[in-house]
Amino acid sequence: MTVPLRPFGRTGVKVSALALGTMMFGSRGNSDHDDSVRIIHHALDAGINLIDTADVYSQGESETIVGKALLGRRDDVFLATKFHGQIGTDPNQFGNSRRWVVRAVEHSLRRLQTDHIDLYQVHRPEDDTDFDETLGALSDLVHQGKIRYIGTSTFEPSAIVEGQWIADRRGRERVVAEQPPYSILARGVEREVLPIARRYGLAVIPWSPLAGGWLTGKFRAGGAQPPSSRAGRQPGRYEIDAPENATKLAAVEALAELAEQSGLSLIHLALGFVLEHPAVTAPIIGPRTLEQLEGQLGAARVRLSADILDEIDKIVPPGVTLSARDQGYHPPALTDPTRRRRSAT
């Protein structure tokens, strides 16, 4: 089954309605490079042409695997990667400064074995770096031909608008895509991020449309917590007995029942929901195995009826994220007490 194509914002580029995420390729997931390459090739053969990775995924190993997989097939792929996360131990090998951006892109190009990156994304905001500095560096990379387009990931609505303002007022290249967290269990971006993306014509490639595995069917009431590398890294997000996850688990049970009544797998229900939003271009699926990929590919052609979508709204209301842990980013204004206590300064 060939994955259909959708417009990538207003760039004129056409991408597959599902994006292949490669976070699980490398030491944090599937450490078998040959097997990971086979999974990537299978996705390409099925019609996926948008591949997303990041330099911080297994500290560059994911990019290395993607580079191997794309040898001889690079021209057929819209290749996206990200910078921002800590690489190594040098405190300056991190963040959104011009100094790091121009170094990080060279490292990614080398690992990916390519001379250009189609979409280079700011992986997270950085409060201490002027966004104009970041956009200036990225604009230079566009002019040098090293990247084609600029994207962001998990940006607050105000930061998305600020990026458009900077491009317009200061002559920078425009951000054309946003990569937010979005799933049935994490609908907070429906309030402002997705409407803003539509207003500015941004492509939207949501991460974690299966809620980090919660919407795959393996987390069920009364069951033991399944083994998971993600749960090992983020225990609070996955511990079934944790009070903050009780609401999520109840929602999963109701969604599983709805999927069964609708003749769908829970995975297809979850991906079909994200695909239904008019602002969404391509949700990112992140399989670790070929079997997981096969179970997700068919969702690209799932269409949910209004009745099913209404039932989902009853289970998790629009604009609601059930757990703060699923937001992906917490502004320093909330996490750093010195930013909201006058006496601390």
Side-chain angles (χ1 to χ4, degrees):
M1 180 179 292
T2 302
V3 177
L5 298 176
R6 290 182 168 187
F8 193 75
R10 295 178 184 165
T11 65
V13 174
K14 299 293 190 296
V15 298
S16 50
L18 293 174
L20 179 67
T22 65
M23 185 180 73
M24 299 307 293
F25 297 153
S27 60
R28 69 187 300 170
N30 188 344
S31 58
D32 186 329
H33 285 210
D34 291 338
D35 188 47
S36 297
V37 167
R38 280 191 292 270
I39 295 169
I40 294 171
H41 285 172
H42 189 75
L44 296 178
D45 293 340
I48 288 181
N49 71 346
L50 172 53
I51 294 181
D52 177 78
T53 185
D55 58 3
V56 77
Y57 295 164
S58 297
Q59 291 289 285
E61 189 180 2
S62 172
E63 286 187 329
T64 298
I65 292 170
V66 171
K68 292 178 180 179
L70 296 188
L71 289 176
R73 305 187 70 164
R74 173 66 183 90
D75 291 343
D76 301 327
V77 170
F78 189 82
L79 179 58
T81 191
K82 301 180 282 292
F83 69 91
H84 168 82
Q86 182 71 52
I87 303 294
T89 58
D90 185 330
N92 285 313
Q93 289 184 283
F94 163 86
N96 303 341
S97 70
R98 170 180 288 271
R99 183 179 188 272
W100 177 234
V101 169
V102 298
R103 292 183 63 194
V105 73
E106 297 296 341
H107 296 319
S108 289
L109 289 169
R110 172 179 49 80
R111 287 188 290 260
L112 292 165
Q113 300 187 59
T114 186
D115 64 355
H116 73 281
I117 294 161
D118 293 298
L119 179 67
Y120 201 39
Q121 301 160 102
V122 192
H123 207 158
R124 289 292 188 276
E126 186 181 26
D127 202 49
D128 294 334
T129 302
D130 187 347
F131 196 27
D132 181 50
E133 158 135 344
T134 307
L135 279 183
L138 292 170
S139 297
D140 289 345
L141 294 178
V142 171
H143 303 155
Q144 293 165 17
K146 294 180 179 180
I147 67 175
R148 298 290 189 260
Y149 302 103
I150 301 168
T152 55
S153 177
T154 322
F155 268 46
E156 296 282 282
S158 59
I160 295 173
V161 174
E162 181 187 12
Q164 299 297 310
W165 184 92
I166 291 171
D168 180 57
R169 302 298 177 87
R170 301 183 183 176
R172 306 302 193 190
E173 293 293 323
R174 193 173 72 93
V175 173
V176 303
E178 163 63 10
Q179 185 179 137
Y182 185 38
S183 72
I184 297 177
L185 303 183
R187 301 183 62 172
V189 295
E190 291 175 341
R191 292 179 175 272
E192 292 187 87
V193 170
L194 296 184
I196 286 171
R198 291 196 76 192
R199 186 179 309 156
Y200 287 103
L202 304 183
V204 176
I205 48 176
W207 59 267
S208 204
L210 297 177
W214 278 85
L215 295 173
T216 63
K218 65 182 181 181
F219 292 90
R220 299 300 298 270
Q225 180 174 339
S228 167
S229 58
R230 294 182 183 182
R233 293 190 299 272
Q234 300 173 301
R237 190 181 179 195
Y238 293 96
E239 193 173 278
I240 290 179
D241 295 333
E244 62 267 28
N245 291 329
T247 304
K248 286 170 63 173
L249 193 58
V252 168
E253 289 297 312
L255 291 166
E257 183 177 344
L258 175 62
E260 184 176 356
Q261 293 170 353
S262 306
L264 297 168
S265 68
L266 181 57
I267 288 174
H268 281 196
L269 179 78
L271 291 174
F273 166 83
V274 174
L275 282 161
E276 185 65 30
H277 197 289
V280 169
T281 304
I284 299 171
I285 58 175
R288 182 177 52 82
T289 67
L290 188 59
E291 181 182 14
Q292 290 175 355
L293 174 63
E294 287 283 8
Q296 298 173 37
L297 282 174
R301 294 190 179 275
V302 168
R303 291 294 176 269
L304 302 183
S305 68
D307 289 342
I308 294 175
L309 293 168
D310 288 344
E311 290 301 316
I312 291 174
D313 286 350
K314 293 176 184 177
I315 297 168
V316 181
V320 172
T321 293
L322 297 181
S323 172
R325 295 178 185 273
D326 295 332
Q327 293 173 354
Y329 174 73
H330 299 278
L334 301 181
T335 59
D336 182 356
T338 65
R339 309 229 178 183
R340 60 179 186 274
R341 296 176 184 174
R342 188 179 294 271
S343 60
T345 58

